Amino acid sequence: MIVSMFVVVIKGISDVGGIDFVWKKATNSNRIEFLNLEPDPRTRYTLWTSIIGDYIGWLAIYAATQSNIQRILSIESISKIRRALLYNMLGLTLIIGLSFSAGLVIYAKYSDCDPVSTKKLQSSDQLLPLFVMDTLGSTPGLSGFFVAGGTCASLSTVSSGLNSLAAIISEDFIKYYRPIFRNLLMSKISKGFCVICGIASFLFSFAAEFADGIYPTTTSLMGSTLAPTLGIFSLGMFFPLANSKGALLGILTGASIGIFISTLLNQIFQKILFIGKTKNIVF
């Protein structure tokens, strides 16, 4: 994935006229904001939302999700865990940097003729595939190389998530109510749930067609579900007297409130609080 993103960014910069052109195009249209200190919570991207919001978001992902905890617990020592997280941070920083660079190059190429406004595309999520075809389509194999890189990265994430979900169902539910099941049978049950969850996730992917955008929708869903999950882990660490019933009630209530805010109230806030403004709110 990293190599394919490098190819797209470098080829795109070369086609649009160089790094100077891309940077000037972004700065002239106020697309570059390193220190936006505006305290207005309705502004999506500020220094405060990036530091506070992203800190809580990444903390929940790395400290309160089964897939990451499962990976961490498979490492034999604390020192190796810290080293692995450091390598992960470097790789993640590189991927995010390449994603931002690709976004700037795409803006430089289509800023004078927006494919979404001209109805050439149905959604802004289709900008990157269009850019890849416009940039790499003339060179045989490069567009397929990009698709292969993105597919490999996606399958890696999906496979670990399905494995973790199947493990949770098997260990926390099936084994809890049927402790007499042998390991071989539990292994087959876990594999079966992995297939079922994979089919369910595939069917849910069709709902992305009706979303306004993949990133805002994903951010809202993650904020609605990961925050209560982080709360459960914090509850277990700092309040030993808490029981399972209270934890279950808390996570269900928190997730319900988060989904309610990110769907219905989000639309109400945009109509009432954003009159005359171009800002968007993301929970």
Side-chain angles (χ1 to χ4, degrees):
M1 177 182 178
I2 294 177
V3 176
S4 61
M5 286 294 294
F6 261 116
V7 172
V8 171
V9 171
I10 293 174
K11 185 67 167 59
I13 291 175
S14 176
D15 288 351
V16 299
I19 297 179
D20 291 339
F21 178 81
V22 173
W23 189 258
K24 288 180 181 178
K25 199 75 173 178
T27 53
N28 291 339
S29 57
N30 296 323
R31 294 279 171 170
I32 305 295
E33 291 182 331
F34 286 110
L35 294 176
N36 186 353
L37 302 178
E38 185 176 353
D40 192 342
R42 295 172 296 175
T43 304
R44 180 178 294 178
Y45 301 115
T46 64
L47 181 66
W48 315 117
T49 58
S50 298
I51 293 178
I52 301 175
D54 287 349
Y55 172 78
I56 297 175
W58 285 111
L59 179 63
I61 291 174
Y62 279 90
T65 57
Q66 172 67 18
S67 58
N68 281 295
I69 292 176
Q70 189 170 305
R71 292 190 185 105
I72 291 173
L73 292 179
S74 65
I75 303 176
E76 58 185 7
S77 64
I78 295 295
S79 60
K80 291 184 178 181
I81 290 175
R82 291 170 178 167
R83 195 181 312 153
L85 290 175
L86 176 61
Y87 293 153
N88 179 271
M89 181 188 69
L90 296 176
L92 186 63
T93 302
L94 178 60
I95 292 175
I96 293 177
L98 287 173
S99 300
F100 282 132
S101 301
L104 292 177
V105 177
I106 292 173
Y107 177 75
K109 184 175 180 63
Y110 298 119
S111 59
D112 297 328
C113 184
D114 183 8
V116 180
S117 300
T118 58
K119 303 301 181 181
K120 186 177 181 180
L121 300 178
Q122 297 179 353
S123 171
S124 59
D125 297 323
Q126 300 172 331
L127 278 171
L128 181 58
L130 175 66
F131 177 75
V132 170
M133 293 305 300
D134 289 344
T135 305
L136 306 179
S138 59
T139 305
L142 285 184
S143 56
F145 178 73
F146 173 80
V147 173
T151 302
C152 290
S154 301
L155 289 178
S156 174
T157 303
V158 171
S159 63
S160 62
L162 294 178
N163 179 272
S164 301
L165 188 57
I168 290 176
I169 297 175
S170 301
E171 291 292 327
D172 293 348
F173 294 96
I174 304 299
K175 197 170 183 179
Y176 179 80
Y177 291 102
R178 291 293 184 271
I180 61 175
F181 285 175
R182 296 182 178 180
N183 291 336
L184 180 60
L185 179 58
M186 287 300 302
S187 176
K188 293 180 179 180
I189 293 175
S190 179
K191 292 177 182 178
F193 276 113
C194 188
V195 173
I196 294 173
C197 294
I199 296 174
S201 63
F202 173 75
L203 295 177
F204 273 116
S205 65
F206 290 99
E209 179 182 355
F210 305 99
D212 295 334
I214 294 296
Y215 182 75
T217 303
T218 303
T219 304
S220 297
L221 290 176
M222 289 179 63
S224 303
T225 55
L226 287 180
T229 306
L230 180 62
I232 288 292
F233 278 80
S234 302
L235 179 69
M237 288 187 292
F238 299 110
F239 299 94
L241 296 180
N243 56 38
S244 59
K245 294 181 180 179
L248 180 61
L249 179 62
I251 193 171
L252 292 178
T253 303
S256 300
I257 294 175
I259 294 174
F260 176 71
I261 292 176
S262 63
T263 53
L264 181 60
L265 286 188
N266 190 17
Q267 299 177 3
I268 297 176
F269 286 159
Q270 288 190 15
K271 292 180 180 179
I272 298 177
L273 300 180
F274 293 87
I275 299 176
K277 295 180 178 291
T278 58
K279 303 172 185 177
N280 292 320
I281 187 168
V282 173
F283 292 92

